[in-house]
Structures are given as structure tokens and as C-alpha cells.
Amino acid sequence: MKSDAIKTGPARAPARAMLRATGLDDAAIAKPLVAVVHTWTDVSPCNLTLRDLAQHVRTGVQAGGGTPIEFNTIAVTDGIAMGSDGMRASLASRETIADSIELVVSGHCLDAMVLLVGCDKTIPAAAMAAARLDIPTVILYGGTILPGHCKNKQKDKPLTVQDVFEAVGAHAAGSIDDAELHDIESHACPGAGACGGQFTANTMAMVLTFLGLSPLQLNDIPATHPDKAAAAKRCGELVMQRLHDDGPLPRSILSPASFRNAARAVSATAGSTNAALHLLAIAHEAGIEFGLEEFEAAAKTPVIADLKPGGRYTAAEMFDMGGAALVAHELRKAGLIDDIATVTGRSFFAELDALPAAAAQDVVRPIADPIKPRGGYSILYGDLAPEGCIVKLAGHGREHFEGPARVFDSEESAFAAVQARRIQAGDVVVIRFEGPAGGPGMREMLAVTAALVGQGLGNDVALITDGRFSGATHGFMVGHIAPEAAHGGPIAKLRDGDRVRIDVATRRLDVDANFDAREPVRIAPRVTTGVLAKYARSVGSASRGAVTAPGPLDAVPTRAIAATLLHEHPAADLDLDLVGAT
């Protein structure tokens, strides 16, 4: 056991003494030490149940012969931070969460881990940590929130936080009054759980299932559903099984095929474009070659799930009808996903075969009768995005947009213009200096996009940014433009009135302007001290996942050079493992 390094032999008596102080006896110390990690916080509904779920995981670990070691990490809630300076912390928190899991688990030589996650950045962070540590790991999503309902308005329409953001735009347009806005605000989020549509949290929870890191069906269970506790206990038991039977470990589960499966599932459900950013980051940590073009190939998968933000149903409603397995069955029948290893020890297809036949439902259609013939996003290049960008296609049928640029150097200035009704149909709103380094933190633009939708401009205005979008965004939106403005990307040369063309058919994002004759606009760094300044200095391009830590593939060239030097200079004091890691 890895934990023998801290608990076995006379020299480890001090460590054992400290473990005894926590309540462990000889028998507990002798067992495998299993991390039970959660992102609990009571600042938002997304992670609210995780501390309670951890107790059920502990029971499962103990039943399987292990000793649970519980700790929690941070979480930043996008729905609260959205539209404020606080949103800069969101993407950076993904790295901090992954780093903290790695440091605590490796620092205490723990043998295995169950990771309980609840919102947008905690989910990919858990997968990144699993890939780094490569010990027996099971990840469980805390679950979606249930849909809300207004008492007086929209009684038959399930509400999510998306409706609240859009109500802000409707309020600014005079379509609803203060009382109606308050009514929607008061009823959209009825309790614990992450945002209810196929937004980033539910998209990434599904991604974990299709990657094989979470057991099929368990992530689908809503946060407040009575079956969630049993799912948590099952994960505790499952991680002990993987520990006892020596596998499969995360890096043997993660493969090019599993990443393709996950990307196709995102396409089939018109899921969040943030999935591209996070899958690139997880692949980086796993040492898997998986580039931006993989998402264009995946986007040929038709949209078959009728989910918000572009569709009718919430994630909780899809769970009632059969959950992510409905999507998996249809993709499998069409030959669009491959069989892969999973954390259960059985293959993904074996897990599907073990499920009972689904009842009649209308949330997921057959591939032959899709909602849309292609996925909810496309990868574009061109004058404004030499390294690529991603266009979100959910909720509208357009594949071409052309109009004059309305350029803003921050989300706040763009939002102010929208609220002041200064944006007109046909405009291309440009929000720059909001990329990973320039933001810093690559804020989501939901406040702006939802306000445009609320004003009835969702299909009549395009928005392009080096920032990103919430999974709740719909409309003609282009994000993740790379290189970003802060790194001198072409978007920094745009001026008001430049004619911008977005063409999905040709996969181009171009502008009618002579950029050779222009210098890029530059702005002073927004943050010069603290964690965000450190993040801005180290974060990479969005086109490669906006990661900050080197991955296994990054070490190969350095290691090869070091090996050559050592061969040529045998007396050199070179530690290849250390060189490769750094």
C-alpha cells in the first residue's frame, strides 16, 4: 500500500501517533487509507449536499475494508460570481482544486480516493486530479437541482437559473416589472443541486460517465433524490473493489476512445462549450493527444437530447425518463461511441447491457430522427482566431452572421451597453481582454448573453469573445478565441465598425480590415498581486485547455534532451525522473 510509507515500521511511530489522535486505532491504521474528498460549501446549492454524501461514502469504504480520510477543497460558484469581478476566480479555481487534491493525497500517501463534486469547475478538476495521481478513484457528481416553478407566472414551464438571467434582460427591456422579476428569482432554484439544464455542471457530469470515471446512472440522480445516499455508499464500496483487484486506474480508463465518446455525447446533448476547454485539460493531465479538431469531428454527431438551454427539458426530467443511458444507447446503436473500460471494472457496453429497457420517453430521440442534424457547436479559425475558437449553435438555426463590430474591452462595459439598449439587431458584440490571462480567468459572459436574449435580440445579434460562455448560454455566440487579446491576438486589433463575418459552413471567423497596418490595443494588467496574477503568468492558451501545470507529454522532450546529455556526459548529476517532472 502507498500508505505504508507513512504508517509502517518503527520510524513511522510519530505519524501513527498523530493518526491515533484523530481516533484511529491499530486496526484502522493498518487498513488502506482512502481519501474521501468533497467540495462542500454552503455558499450555493451546487455543493450543499456533499458533506452529507461523504458520510455515506465513508460507510462504503469501511464496509469494503478501508479507512476513510475525509477532507474538502474550495469551490467557486459561477451562478453567483457571474457578471462580477468574482467570476475571474472561477476557472482559476479548477487548477487550485486539482492541485489541492493532488497535494493532500500525495502528501499523506493515501491509497485510493472517492471525489464528490458539485459544480462547473469542481467536476473537471476532479478528473484532472485523478489523471495526475493515477490511484484507484471513483468520482460522484452531487447531482442536479430540481426545476422550479412560479406560483403565478409560467406555471407549466420548469424554471432554472437561466430564466433568472434572461429575466434581467426582460426587466431592462420593460417586458416584466419588479414583482415579476422577484417572482422568477424566488422560485427558479428550489433547493440543493447544480444548475438544472444541460449547462456546464450537468454536461461535465455526463462527460465523467462517458469517460468511464463515474459509474453509469449514478451521476444522473438529482441532489435531493432519496437514492443519492445509496449511490454514495456504492462509490465507497466500488473504490475498495478497485483497490483490491488492482484496477483499472484512471490513466488506463482514459483513452482517445473515451475522450471521443465524451465529446460526441456533448454534441448529442447540445451541451456546454466549456466541455471542450475541460476535456482538453483532462487529456493534458492524462497524457492523451486530443486536440481542438477532435471537437469538430465530434460535432458531426446529431443533437438528439431535447434539453435546456435550447430545448424543453431539465436534467432532472431526463433522469426520470432514463438519464444519460438514453443518449448512450442511441449513440451505440448508430456506431458513434466505442466500448471502453470503466471504473466499475466492467466495460461501458456491459454496463449498458445490464440496464432494463427504458420506458417510452420523448427527451432523447433516435439518431435517425434528430432534433438537429449536427451538434451544438463548431470549431472555427480565420483572421480573428488563428489558433481556433468555438461557436455555440444551440437554440438557433443560423450558420452565418455578418455585421459591424461593437468592441468592448471588458464584460462590464458590454453589459452596460446592452442594458442601456445601445446594441442593435445586426451588431457583432466583441468582448476582449477576458481570456485566461487577460481576464484574468476567462470569465463567462452569461450576464451579457442572457440580457440580449431577454431583450429579444438572441437571434439578431452575434457575440464574439476571448472569454467563454456559460452552459446556459444560447444564441449566436463565439468564444475561446485564441490567441487572446492580452497575448496580442488579432482580436486586439479590431475597431468599432469593422465588418465581422462568422461562417459555420466554411469554419471561418474573419474581418474586413487591414490588420497589417494596425497595432493591437493593449491594456494594463487588471490584477498585479495574489493568486490571479500568478495564474495570469502561468496559464496557457484556451485552445489547449487553459492549463497551468505541465502534463506527461510536456515532459517527453525535456527528458529526451536530459537522457542525451547524460549519455554524452556520464559524470553529470542528472535525475531523469526529476527532470521529466519539471
Side-chain angles (χ1 to χ4, degrees), residues 44 60 65 98 117-118 135 164 167 191 200-201 268 294 350 382 410 424 453 467 471 474 480 532 541 558 574:
S44 74
V117 291
I135 61 176
V164 187
T200 303
E294 294 278 4
S410 70
Q424 306 298 318
V453 171
H474 58 119
H480 306 204
L532 288 178
S541 171
T558 308
L574 288 175

Side-chain angles (χ1 to χ4, degrees), residues 33-328:
L33 303 183
V34 179
V36 178
V37 188
H38 52 81
T39 57
W40 175 86
T41 170
D42 65 1
V43 76
S44 74
C46 315
N47 299 279
L48 195 59
T49 61
L50 300 184
R51 189 166 60 177
D52 292 334
L53 284 181
Q55 308 320 304
H56 299 286
V57 174
R58 292 175 67 95
T59 300
V61 169
Q62 289 165 338
T67 296
I69 305 293
E70 183 181 343
F71 66 92
N72 75 293
T73 78
I74 67 162
V76 174
T77 302
D78 292 11
I80 293 174
M82 197 78 67
S84 75
D85 258 5
M87 191 64 195
R88 302 188 197 285
S90 173
L91 187 58
S93 76
R94 185 190 71 180
E95 314 307 302
T96 299
I97 294 162
D99 292 350
S100 65
I101 295 170
E102 177 192 0
L103 289 171
V104 177
V105 171
S106 61
H108 298 96
C109 303
L110 302 181
D111 298 296
M113 57 186 183
V114 177
L115 308 177
L116 298 170
V117 291
C119 61
D120 296 9
K121 307 310 171 298
T122 68
I123 302 170
M128 292 163 68
R132 284 186 199 175
L133 291 162
D134 202 32
I135 61 176
T137 301
V138 180
I139 308 176
L140 178 65
Y141 172 50
T144 183
I145 197 171
L146 297 178
H149 293 273
C150 279
K151 294 179 180 178
N152 300 315
K153 297 284 184 179
Q154 305 176 33
K155 287 184 179 179
D156 297 324
K157 178 185 176 184
L159 296 178
T160 70
V161 72
Q162 169 196 348
D163 296 282
V164 187
F165 278 99
E166 292 178 6
V168 171
H171 181 267
S175 303
I176 62 174
D177 59 22
D178 290 349
E180 290 171 306
L181 177 60
H182 184 265
D183 197 28
I184 294 170
E185 169 194 333
S186 300
H187 295 95
C189 300
C195 299
Q198 192 68 342
F199 311 152
T200 303
N202 285 317
T203 298
M204 290 308 299
M206 183 190 67
V207 160
L208 291 184
T209 299
F210 277 81
L211 285 175
L213 296 176
S214 293
L216 186 66
Q217 291 195 299
L218 297 194
N219 284 354
D220 298 336
I221 303 170
T224 56
H225 194 282
D227 290 348
K228 203 71 185 189
K233 182 174 182 288
R234 169 67 178 140
C235 288
E237 296 168 340
L238 194 57
V239 80
M240 293 308 301
Q241 292 172 17
R242 297 293 75 80
L243 184 59
H244 292 318
D245 64 18
D246 295 325
L249 298 178
R251 285 195 199 170
S252 63
I253 292 171
L254 295 170
S255 66
S258 67
F259 279 94
R260 286 192 296 270
N261 286 359
R264 287 169 182 167
V266 173
S267 180
T269 58
S272 170
T273 53
N274 284 314
L277 192 72
H278 298 321
L279 278 167
L280 290 170
I282 298 165
H284 169 82
E285 299 287 359
I288 302 291
E289 292 279 8
F290 195 78
L292 200 57
E293 274 300 288
E294 294 278 4
F295 295 95
E296 182 62 28
K300 294 178 173 61
T301 305
V303 176
I304 56 174
D306 196 359
L307 294 169
K308 285 175 171 283
R312 293 180 294 164
Y313 291 110
T314 62
E317 291 169 305
M318 187 167 86
F319 163 75
D320 289 335
M321 298 185 220
L326 297 172
V327 178

Side-chain angles (χ1 to χ4, degrees), residues 318-349:
M318 187 167 86
F319 163 75
D320 289 335
M321 298 185 220
L326 297 172
V327 178
H329 276 301
E330 294 303 325
L331 294 178
R332 180 187 180 184
K333 283 193 291 186
L336 292 173
I337 57 173
D338 298 315
D339 202 9
I340 58 167
T342 78
V343 72
T344 67
R346 298 197 298 181
S347 77
F348 193 71
F349 287 176

